[in-house]
Amino acid sequence: MKVGVLALQGAAELHLAALRSIGAAAVPVRRPDELADVDRLILPGGESTTISMMLDANGLTGPLAERLAGGMSTLGTCAGLLLLASEVTDGRDDQHCFGALDISARRNAYGPQTESFEADLPIAALGPSPMTAVFIRSPIVERVGPEVEVLARLDGHPVLCRQGRAWGCTFHPELSGDLRLHRLFCEETA
Ligand code: GLN
């Protein structure tokens, strides 16, 4: 199984390293032929407006929309979650929301970079010990649709959720050295 990491902008390298350290064949995705070649995809954190523009510039917008509509397993982290959402507030009017996750998310909702923080999150799907989650200019999920399963919350807000094969988290799981979410995403067959 080949797992791609969208590598146009943002935190791709650490996702690739995390995937490789759990034994996955991980490759960067920058072109449509590279997207066509992967079984799963991580959309990393970074800047959703920039990633959105770069998807257009690299001819990936249509192919990514098709793969998502076809049910490809996808994990969007932070900016990646914004790309998977059905609605983004406080974003740019022209940024892409692929709608793989029926959620509304408010961009930069905790404030600027200086308001970044870590939290120990209990995530039952990952086992008994909490995961250290790093939040960097993260969005807040303000609405989840009826098909969305919420796997973790912080202060009442969903921070990890999934809808079918689309997963999204508002934190950076590649930064804490805890590989359980990457492993669960790679092993999931639903
Ligand atoms: N605020 C960023 C955005 O709008 C997301 C931040 C992140 O991915 N760490 O895309």
Side-chain angles (χ1 to χ4, degrees):
M1 185 187 54
K2 233 185 214 184
V3 187
V5 179
L6 187 69
L8 300 174
Q9 189 270 339
E13 284 305 320
L14 287 172
H15 278 294
L16 288 165
L19 290 165
R20 286 173 186 147
S21 67
I22 58 168
V27 292
V29 168
R30 299 189 183 90
R31 299 191 313 254
D33 60 311
E34 292 170 334
L35 176 62
D37 202 35
V38 298
D39 304 298
R40 297 177 189 227
L41 184 70
I42 291 182
L43 305 176
E47 178 47 61
S48 57
T49 55
T50 306
I51 297 173
S52 185
M53 284 189 271
M54 292 187 72
L55 285 169
D56 289 341
N58 288 272
L60 276 164
T61 304
L64 178 56
E66 272 173 38
R67 289 297 307 269
L68 292 171
M72 172 179 59
S73 287
T74 312
L75 169 64
T77 69
C78 208
L81 168 138
L82 291 168
L83 288 160
L84 292 181
S86 49
E87 188 189 12
V88 170
T89 41
D90 292 345
R92 277 177 63 115
D93 288 345
D94 59 355
Q95 80 179 90
H96 294 301
C97 303
F98 289 97
L101 281 172
D102 181 18
I103 60 173
S104 304
R106 184 172 300 278
R107 220 176 128 234
N108 298 335
Y110 296 98
Q113 189 94 1
T114 47
E115 303 297 323
S116 301
F117 61 97
E118 287 183 14
D120 284 335
L121 276 185
I123 305 177
L126 298 184
S129 58
M131 178 168 191
T132 302
V134 182
F135 292 81
I136 304 170
R137 288 188 305 120
S138 291
I140 285 183
V141 175
E142 297 185 323
R143 179 194 66 83
V144 295
E147 307 292 313
V148 177
E149 183 187 353
V150 176
L151 300 168
R153 291 179 188 270
L154 182 69
D155 299 332
H157 300 294
V159 292
L160 171 63
C161 54
R162 69 178 295 190
Q163 180 173 357
R165 295 196 187 93
W167 300 63
C169 61
T170 60
F171 53 90
H172 279 257
E174 79 285 6
L175 287 178
S176 59
D178 185 333
L179 303 175
R180 287 178 293 167
L181 184 55
H182 287 86
R183 198 172 282 121
L184 181 64
F185 171 64
C186 287
E187 286 169 357
E188 186 64 34
T189 52

